[in-house]
Amino acid sequence: MPPNKSGLNVLSYENDDDIDLLYSFKKRGYRTTPILYVNGKQISPDLARKARPNQTLLSFLRDVLRLTGSKLGCAEGGCGACTVMISRFEKSNTASSNDEGTNDDNDGGAIKHYAVNACLMPVLAADGCHITTVEGVGSVKDDNLHPIQRAMVDMHGSQCGFCTPGIIVAIYSLLANNATTAHMEEHLDGNLCRCTGYRPIWDAARSLCSDIEDVCTNKVHEHMNAEMGVIRGPCGTPCRSCPERDSCEMDCNAKDKENGKTDQKEKSMENGGGAKSAPKENLCCSSSVDKMSSYQSVLPKDSASSWRNQPIDMFPDSLTSAPDSEIGMELFKPLLVVDSTAHGRSTWMKPTTILELLSLLRQYGESDNGCKIIVGNTEVGIETKFKHAVYPCLIYPSQTIDSLYDITITSTHFRLGACTPLGTVQQECERLIGNANVDRIAKPIYNMLRWFASTQIRNVACLGGNLVTASPISDMNPMLVSMNANLVVASISSISEGSITRRIIPVLDFFCSYRTVDLKPYELVECIDVPLTREIFEYVVPFKQARRREDDISIVTSGMRIILAPKESEHYVIEDTTLAFGGMAPTTIVASETASNLIGMPFCAQTFKKGGEILREELKLPDDVPGGQAEYRITVASSFLYQFFLTVATELKMDADKIQMDPIKYGISIPLPPLPLVEEEEMSGTQQFVSSKKPSSLGMQMYPTPKVVEGIEKKISLTPATAALQTSSNSLGKPLPHASAPFHCTGEAIYVDDIPTPPSTLHAFLLLATECDVTLKSINKEAALKIPGVVDVYTHDDLVKLGGENAIGPIMHDECVFLPVGEKIVSVGQVLGIVIGNSIEISEIGARSVKVEYGEKQVQTIVSIDDAIKAGSFYEFARHTLERGDVDSVFCSSDNKEEEKEPLSMQPRERVVKVEGSFRCGGQEHFCE
């Protein structure tokens, strides 16, 4: 499909191949126009046809619909500034089973709401969905702020405002699903805010949860009641009654001690000890609980149902209509969109049956260009954006393919559809905790997924994609390996035959080498089967270590499983175990040697201490291992093993208690062997963040009653909510909200990137060197200039022709605008030229199409100060010094002077002290919005 020379903003099919493709797929029942709804309205077909296969939802919203409230921050799903809400009508995929006593049959459907990162989600993946942006939540016009937006304004949750629209929509999505405060604290994890601080955002979000009044009542003891003269710390105990009052260093205790001294002094004076002192100053107290509970009085109670039901009310009826309606019939058709513009030249296919999907894989999987299956686009989106990968054929499986999205329980397995979003898997596993059949599978999966990326990522990413990308530091892959999970891989032998063939692959055998898996181009991972565990004496525990708990990749991750057997009345024996690790090799690995040494041994601390020594040798890493931190990673892995023993020992006690209560039910004879001994000080090892509740973020402060002087504040009108919050116990003067906060919270604040570009605006992309310490031999522009939309490519030669000055610099002109041909390239990323085009995407494609020829690489490349000193490489012409007096003579006299016996303080002007040394700062990892 060649580029479309007629324009860049329309789709056309200009040769026989395109026409044949269009006609052939239309004959197969495909439609060619996506069905999109935004903020309660359907996008017109003319605008919908502008959606391109490789275009993100954020790009479509901002560039085509001009909805600029959603912001582009990191472009990789890490900051949440682009968050929008996706709503769709789904049939229930709750885990079902035919076994007696399990879940009822679920044939109905419901409207589901998901917060997603629009910077990663393809716009065509929103086909058949309703999209809510911050503009659809509320607006400043006619004082139409949504309570979420008003709470953020009143509680000072916005400063610069760039990240605020994404936070508003993330909270809106959670409240659309009737989030409790606990659910809010658990799932509001995908948005960064650098200037406001999270506490006012948390306070605003929780103040609107349905159970906030009960929560505030339960937490009322956590704040300081200054009016009653009693100060309570976060522990809830009055400071003067605290048994640790003398050693406690909390601010509340220090303040109370100070007040106590004042009270005693006043009492002494009153009893005749002298003149009466001034009365004790009244104190004001402000806390998160105060703010959240007080805010209930200013919420629009009469319209509470309306704003809480807004997501449902705004959802289009046509998306919930019967399948035989016009929209319903269209949505049941597969979708084909061909983009033959220079933006990407790609094709989007959305099959609606498993057979059609496998037929497309058979047809395009082994072609020259190949194809790519995408679901959440969390991996492919990064590859195309930052690694410049090109995928001309994208296949998006429809939600109507049940086997890819269902979660079911059989008599032997817990089956997860390969395309089921991780957020759905997490939700279902949480619901199944306590179910005797799957509790010991559901709980570790749920605990690991809690810390997997963020809610926005989990809402779209799928387990099948996580497996196929074969990341060596994946969280879930070691878990599945330890559970002895299997993959069901489907394919068809030919398009005409149409019969589906399936094969079973153990997850461990699926990983062949780094980022390589046992999957043919025409095959599809259909589902994952996790064997059910025993009801007692079998345990699975997940482990994860990262630089931060949330939204971060792991350094080391592990899944461990063990089966114990009671040996008469002596002890428990390790019958079987699997220890799987990520981050310790190019693929997920199993510590088979350590496991074999554990099997048959007594389940006790000594066994696992010895096993840890074996594990350190089995997982030994070289010092120059990719990713570094070799010794640290080995230590973490071995510490996981001992933590595993401590955790299982705790769970074994619970199993033993259950058996003691009803041995007949479990078919176990009693008495049971004694439990393994665990030292009391080691029990803290069972507490790991993976399974711990996420802590609440609460704050409190005490301050003297402000002395407010009437002035300008009298002329400033407050919002009703802010005015209602102004009480003597929780206000500092007259708290005024940020003047621009309402515009931040509605997305109506205009930033530079939100200003529409004038017509015929050109865009530039720099041509950068990809090698260093080589000579620039030539630059060939021909391929770039053939791309429609590329205006020109400018290099040093063009600058000379224009009479421009090439040397630049703030003080010394030691840099160049464009490096001349024949000169040495001193760094990767040195500017060689600039490409001008009709759009930034076109200019970027043009820059990557320029052919740059480099000379031979020098033997030595200088990348450090030590390298420069060794090579004698100094920029003498750029040396700057600041001197005062005769520095050389002072240094010389200091070197020859005998050691002074007098203290330094006795000779402040005569004594010269030379301080010498070196400081090294290695590479640092940063995440920038």
Side-chain angles (χ1 to χ4, degrees):
M1 291 170 280
N4 169 28
K5 298 181 176 60
S6 61
L8 295 174
N9 295 322
V10 296
L11 300 180
S12 65
Y13 311 94
E14 53 186 71
N15 60 21
D16 293 339
D17 291 339
D18 291 331
I19 294 173
D20 291 344
L21 179 69
L22 182 63
Y23 286 163
S24 65
F25 276 84
K26 276 190 173 181
K27 289 180 180 179
R28 291 161 63 174
Y30 278 73
R31 55 190 166 92
T32 57
T33 302
I35 299 173
L36 302 171
Y37 290 81
V38 178
N39 296 331
K41 298 179 180 179
Q42 183 175 1
I43 302 303
S44 67
D46 290 340
L47 286 177
R49 291 190 191 100
K50 293 185 178 182
R52 306 189 307 270
N54 61 350
Q55 185 179 30
T56 65
L57 176 57
L58 182 65
S59 172
F60 183 80
L61 292 172
R62 291 179 61 85
D63 301 337
V64 179
L65 302 185
R66 294 304 306 162
L67 295 173
T68 58
S70 305
K71 309 301 181 186
L72 177 63
C74 65
E76 56 181 284
C79 71
C82 63
T83 301
V84 300
M85 186 176 81
I86 295 294
S87 304
R88 57 173 168 252
F89 187 79
E90 298 179 358
K91 75 176 189 64
S92 176
N93 60 354
T94 299
S96 58
S97 170
N98 295 326
D99 295 343
E100 185 178 355
T102 56
N103 302 299
D104 296 333
D105 187 30
N106 293 284
D107 295 327
I111 300 172
K112 301 292 182 66
H113 309 284
Y114 305 95
V116 303
N117 291 307
C119 71
L120 287 179
M121 184 176 186
V123 58
L124 293 176
D127 174 56
C129 299
H130 177 243
I131 306 157
T132 303
T133 69
V134 69
E135 291 91 344
V137 177
S139 65
V140 174
K141 185 179 180 181
D142 299 327
D143 194 25
N144 194 31
L145 266 65
H146 189 279
I148 297 173
Q149 296 165 325
R150 190 170 296 282
M152 284 284 282
V153 173
D154 293 336
M155 295 194 183
H156 315 284
S158 171
Q159 284 191 34
C160 81
F162 190 82
C163 63
T164 307
I167 295 174
I168 291 291
V169 179
I171 298 172
Y172 183 81
S173 303
L174 292 172
L175 291 177
N177 293 305
N178 299 315
T180 62
T181 53
H183 188 83
M184 183 71 70
E185 292 172 345
E186 180 76 24
H187 292 275
L188 187 60
D189 57 4
N191 298 81
L192 293 182
C193 181
R194 296 183 180 275
C195 56
T196 305
Y198 285 93
R199 184 165 296 135
I201 296 172
W202 278 114
D203 292 346
R206 289 178 299 204
S207 67
L208 300 170
C209 292
S210 56
D211 65 338
I212 186 59
E213 293 186 5
D214 294 336
V215 171
C216 289
T217 301
N218 294 335
K219 291 182 178 291
V220 71
H221 65 276
E222 295 181 5
H223 76 285
M224 305 175 189
N225 189 348
E227 292 182 355
M228 298 296 294
V230 177
I231 296 181
R232 298 176 184 268
C235 61
T237 303
C239 292
R240 298 189 186 185
S241 303
C242 179
E244 299 179 355
R245 178 174 175 80
D246 294 334
S247 59
C248 178
E249 298 179 355
M250 294 288 290
D251 291 341
C252 56
N253 192 40
K255 188 70 178 178
D256 190 64
K257 286 181 178 178
E258 182 180 345
N259 291 346
K261 292 178 181 178
T262 304
D263 291 344
Q264 291 178 3
K265 185 176 180 181
E266 290 177 1
K267 187 174 182 180
S268 174
M269 300 297 261
E270 291 172 358
N271 291 333
K276 194 171 183 179
S277 62
K280 186 177 68 172
E281 187 176 28
N282 292 329
L283 294 177
C284 294
C285 174
S286 175
S287 72
S288 296
V289 175
D290 288 333
K291 293 176 182 178
M292 292 186 292
S293 59
S294 299
Y295 205 75
Q296 302 307 301
S297 62
V298 298
L299 282 176
K301 298 282 186 182
D302 54 337
S303 59
S305 60
S306 63
W307 69 262
R308 290 192 184 276
N309 292 335
Q310 179 179 320
I312 299 295
D313 296 339
M314 196 162 48
F315 191 82
D317 293 336
S318 54
L319 293 180
T320 59
S321 58
D324 55 356
S325 66
E326 183 179 354
I327 294 293
M329 292 176 65
E330 283 295 302
L331 288 175
F332 270 86
K333 294 179 181 179
L335 175 67
L336 169 72
V337 176
V338 178
D339 177 16
S340 56
T341 70
H343 281 97
R345 301 183 295 279
S346 57
T347 302
W348 177 278
M349 300 175 182
K350 180 184 177 182
T352 55
T353 66
I354 185 68
L355 188 59
E356 180 70 16
L357 173 57
L358 294 175
S359 298
L360 292 175
L361 286 176
R362 175 58 73 173
Q363 182 176 354
Y364 295 101
E366 294 185 301
S367 63
D368 293 338
N369 294 325
C371 63
K372 196 79 170 180
I373 294 180
I374 63 172
V375 178
N377 202 44
T378 55
E379 182 75 14
V380 175
I382 299 299
E383 292 176 351
T384 55
K385 177 70 177 179
F386 298 104
K387 300 180 181 178
H388 311 305
V390 177
Y391 299 112
C393 182
L394 301 173
I395 301 176
Y396 180 81
S398 170
Q399 296 274 341
T400 58
I401 305 177
D402 294 340
S403 62
L404 295 181
Y405 290 93
D406 279 353
I407 301 175
T408 56
I409 304 172
T410 70
S411 59
T412 58
H413 289 84
F414 181 44
R415 173 166 289 185
L416 301 169
C419 294
T420 308
L422 295 176
T424 303
V425 175
Q426 178 189 4
Q427 180 182 350
E428 279 304 294
C429 286
E430 181 181 18
R431 189 182 67 83
L432 292 170
I433 292 175
N435 184 312
N437 292 333
V438 293
D439 176 80
R440 302 195 177 203
I441 293 174
K443 189 174 182 179
I445 293 178
Y446 165 73
N447 282 333
M448 186 60 92
L449 287 179
R450 294 173 61 219
W451 307 98
F452 188 102
S454 66
T455 294
Q456 284 92 321
I457 295 294
R458 293 193 298 270
N459 282 341
V460 294
C462 66
L463 193 52
N466 191 247
L467 286 159
V468 172
T469 55
S471 170
I473 50 175
S474 165
D475 291 343
M476 287 302 299
N477 294 352
M479 278 282 300
L480 295 173
V481 168
S482 70
M483 293 175 172
N484 293 327
N486 295 312
L487 304 182
V488 179
V489 176
S491 65
I492 59 173
S493 56
S494 66
I495 298 176
S496 57
E497 192 171 304
S499 60
I500 300 177
T501 302
R502 292 179 173 87
R503 65 187 179 104
I504 308 299
I505 310 174
V507 173
L508 180 61
D509 298 337
F510 187 62
F511 309 116
C512 302
S513 59
Y514 178 73
R515 296 282 187 175
T516 305
V517 295
D518 181 14
L519 192 69
K520 306 294 190 301
Y522 53 83
E523 289 183 319
L524 167 75
V525 177
E526 186 176 14
C527 60
I528 300 97
D529 281 344
V530 183
L532 301 182
T533 63
R534 302 177 183 180
E535 193 172 349
I536 57 172
F537 295 152
E538 184 171 3
Y539 312 94
V540 180
V541 183
F543 295 95
K544 173 187 173 83
Q545 182 63 49
R547 287 173 176 81
R548 61 177 183 264
R549 295 185 176 187
E550 292 180 313
D551 205 8
D552 196 10
I553 58 176
S554 298
I555 301 172
V556 181
T557 180
S558 178
M560 301 186 184
R561 180 185 61 86
I562 193 170
I563 299 177
L564 302 178
K567 185 178 180 181
E568 297 178 355
S569 60
E570 298 178 14
H571 51 251
Y572 290 90
V573 175
I574 302 174
E575 186 177 296
D576 187 31
T577 186
T578 304
L579 313 173
F581 292 90
M584 302 300 293
T587 65
T588 297
I589 60 170
V590 167
S592 54
E593 182 182 348
T594 304
S596 63
N597 278 274
L598 291 176
I599 294 174
M601 298 297 291
F603 180 73
C604 63
Q606 190 61 34
T607 297
F608 280 83
K609 288 178 180 178
K610 189 175 296 184
E613 297 174 1
I614 299 172
L615 185 65
R616 290 183 65 91
E617 291 300 317
E618 185 175 3
L619 301 183
K620 197 170 184 64
L621 299 172
D623 292 336
D624 59 349
V625 63
Q629 299 179 291
E631 186 60 31
Y632 174 73
R633 287 151 68 180
I634 296 170
T635 302
V636 168
S638 62
S639 70
F640 282 169
L641 182 61
Y642 197 71
Q643 276 187 289
F644 180 52
F645 161 71
L646 296 174
T647 304
V648 173
T650 302
E651 296 186 9
L652 176 61
K653 183 181 185 304
M654 292 188 287
D655 277 357
D657 292 341
K658 289 193 298 184
I659 294 171
Q660 292 287 353
M661 294 177 62
D662 192 355
I664 298 177
K665 175 181 177 181
Y666 300 100
I668 302 292
S669 60
I670 55 175
L672 293 170
L675 296 171
L677 295 176
V678 178
E679 299 294 337
E680 184 65 29
E681 58 267 21
E682 292 184 338
M683 289 307 297
S684 61
T686 63
Q687 302 170 4
Q688 55 160 325
F689 77 90
V690 173
S691 56
S692 300
K693 179 183 179 295
K694 293 184 180 180
S696 297
S697 176
L698 297 172
M700 63 193 76
Q701 66 178 120
M702 291 183 63
Y703 49 88
T705 302
K707 297 178 176 61
V708 181
V709 179
E710 292 187 4
I712 190 172
E713 74 280 353
K714 287 292 185 181
K715 301 178 181 180
I716 300 177
S717 59
L718 304 178
T719 63
T722 304
L725 288 174
Q726 300 217 5
T727 65
S728 61
S729 61
N730 66 5
S731 63
L732 176 59
K734 300 283 186 179
L736 298 176
H738 195 313
S740 299
F743 299 95
H744 295 164
C745 294
T746 59
E748 295 173 82
I750 302 299
Y751 295 80
V752 174
D753 199 35
D754 301 333
I755 301 173
T757 55
S760 303
T761 297
L762 298 179
H763 300 259
F765 199 88
L766 293 176
L767 175 62
L768 305 176
T770 57
E771 297 186 25
C772 68
D773 208 19
V774 295
T775 302
L776 176 62
K777 295 187 67 175
S778 67
I779 299 176
N780 190 333
K781 315 176 185 177
E782 292 183 6
L785 293 175
K786 291 180 180 179
I787 297 176
V790 172
V791 176
D792 210 338
V793 179
Y794 296 99
T795 61
H796 174 260
D797 293 341
D798 301 294
L799 187 63
V800 172
K801 292 177 184 177
L802 294 172
E805 178 61 45
N806 195 42
I808 57 172
I811 299 176
M812 301 292 297
H813 289 189
D814 56 348
E815 300 283 348
C816 60
V817 179
F818 302 137
L819 185 71
V821 172
E823 294 289 327
K824 179 182 176 182
I825 300 174
V826 297
S827 65
V828 172
Q830 188 166 2
V831 180
L832 308 180
I834 191 168
V835 180
I836 309 298
N838 292 337
S839 70
I840 190 64
E841 294 89 356
I842 295 296
S843 300
E844 183 178 358
I845 293 172
R848 296 205 305 268
S849 302
V850 174
K851 306 297 181 184
V852 179
E853 184 181 1
Y854 302 99
E856 293 185 5
K857 197 171 186 66
Q858 300 292 327
V859 176
Q860 182 183 13
T861 299
I862 298 174
V863 295
S864 69
I865 294 178
D866 291 338
D867 293 340
I869 295 173
K870 185 177 180 180
S873 176
F874 303 101
Y875 288 98
E876 294 292 347
F877 67 90
R879 185 189 295 271
H880 295 279
T881 59
L882 295 174
E883 296 184 2
R884 181 179 180 182
D886 191 350
V887 178
D888 292 335
S889 63
V890 173
F891 279 163
C892 182
S893 63
S894 175
D895 292 338
N896 297 329
K897 187 181 293 185
E898 294 183 1
E899 182 179 358
E900 300 285 354
K901 295 182 180 180
E902 292 82 4
L904 182 62
S905 59
M906 298 295 293
Q907 299 179 349
R909 296 183 180 274
E910 298 177 7
R911 185 176 176 88
V912 176
V913 178
K914 291 177 63 175
V915 180
E916 295 180 324
S918 62
F919 174 79
R920 296 177 182 272
C921 182
Q924 299 182 23
E925 297 184 11
H926 294 270
F927 178 86
C928 299
E929 296 183 46

